[in-house]
Amino acid sequence: GAKAHGRSAHCFFDESMIQAARERLEIEARLRSAMARGHLLLHYQPQLSVATGRIVGAEALLRWNDPEEGLISPARFIPVAETSGVIGPLGQWVMQEACRQGQAWRAAGLPAVRLAVNVSPRQFQLDDMAVCAAQALAASGLPAHCLELELTESVLAERPEEMRQVLQRLRELGVRIAVDDFGTGYSSLVHLKRFPIDVLKIDQGFMRDIPASGDDMAISATIIAMGRSLGLNVLAEGVETPEQLAFLRERGCDSYQGYLFSRPVPAEQFARLLQAQAEKQPAQA
Ligand code: C2E
Ligand code: MG
Ligand code: MG
Ligand code: MG
């Protein structure tokens, strides 16, 4: 009957909630121990100039190398880290490690590139990102202009005045600010003029169906044109085909990243890509 059905639906709901909570706790505990044991690492995805094809930067992407499960995707554990607060120490580790690695490449004589680090909304609530960045830069010796923080649009909407001040202090340090996944959030274009933003990263969802989708081409072209006229850099994410790159070149997009050139790769492999570029086309002195 309706009553029995209602009750069992209720039970099912409770059990799945408990199950989900249990899973979260388990992942949280394992994540803390993974951090302590050095099972977390960063992969680096090259960012290239559309005009010259040179590597201009790298996005640092977190990986969890579990002895049993192998590489675990950030999509699985970042959300858990965010709800539990582990994201605080985790985010600080990512920033420090990316800066350390960037400076190590410079010290090894590789061409200087900018390191882009993802910062989740929760990190902005937990810690002062300007202080975290300043500490990571000081500890590593990496120049501030080599660090870029990627944040999402939602962060700008939540506590705008506090955010504006933090971003302003980051800008004064010399750190660049990128808006990740641009075009997918509750974006208000007002953000672009109210906040000290340097880069718009066009969400990869808009690239996927180019050139088949006229709508996606129109949206991407509009973001590029708007970014340019506001004096911002525009980077396209998720570029997988030569046709997509040709489209970006035609529209005057500044830079791109995606499987077309390289997936995110371990640090040693990224260093080899930089080395190969230096040998192929030495930078002008
Ligand atoms: P994101 O910052 O938007 O990163 C881009 C994602 O797209 C990465 O997935 C990257 O591997 C993937 N990607 C790059 N090129 C292509 C392409 O050509 N095609 C396709 N289909 N995908 C491409 P990944 O590494 O799994 O990271 C997923 C998300 O996890 C990131 O999205 C970011 O939001 C989050 N994340 C990763 N590392 C960190 C971190 O250190 N801190 C925080 N807070 N979040 C992170
Ligand atoms: Mg990102
Ligand atoms: Mg993105
Ligand atoms: Mg994303």
Side-chain angles (χ1 to χ4, degrees), residues 144-194:
H145 70 264
C146 292
L147 179 63
E148 182 172 292
L149 300 191
E150 295 191 3
L151 45 89
T152 52
E153 291 160 276
S154 61
V155 139
L156 302 174
E158 273 164 27
R159 290 175 307 166
E161 184 45 32
E162 234 173 293
M163 275 305 293
R164 202 192 54 73
Q165 286 177 24
V166 173
L167 297 188
Q168 189 55 44
R169 277 157 51 224
L170 282 163
R171 158 147 311 169
E172 281 156 17
L173 270 177
V175 173
R176 300 217 311 181
I177 304 296
V179 182
D180 204 356
D181 306 338
F182 186 75
T184 60
Y186 286 102
S187 53
S188 160
L189 297 181
V190 153
H191 294 154
L192 299 183
K193 80 169 207 203
R194 185 185 295 156

Side-chain angles (χ1 to χ4, degrees), residues 59 61 118 150 180 201 237:
E59 178 175 5
L61 292 155
N118 291 284
E150 295 191 3
D180 204 356
K201 296 190 73 175
E237 293 192 271

Side-chain angles (χ1 to χ4, degrees), residues 217-232:
M217 287 199 285
I219 292 168
S220 303
T222 302
I223 296 174
I224 295 167
M226 181 184 65
R228 283 175 68 106
S229 53
L230 289 170
L232 303 174

Side-chain angles (χ1 to χ4, degrees), residues 35 86-98 117 123 126-129 131-133 135-136:
M35 252 182 7
V86 180
I87 194 71
L90 188 59
Q92 288 182 14
W93 179 82
V94 170
M95 187 127 48
Q96 285 164 10
E97 176 60 14
V117 170
Q123 279 177 264
L126 290 170
D127 293 306
D128 184 329
M129 281 306 125
V131 170
C132 288
Q135 283 173 349

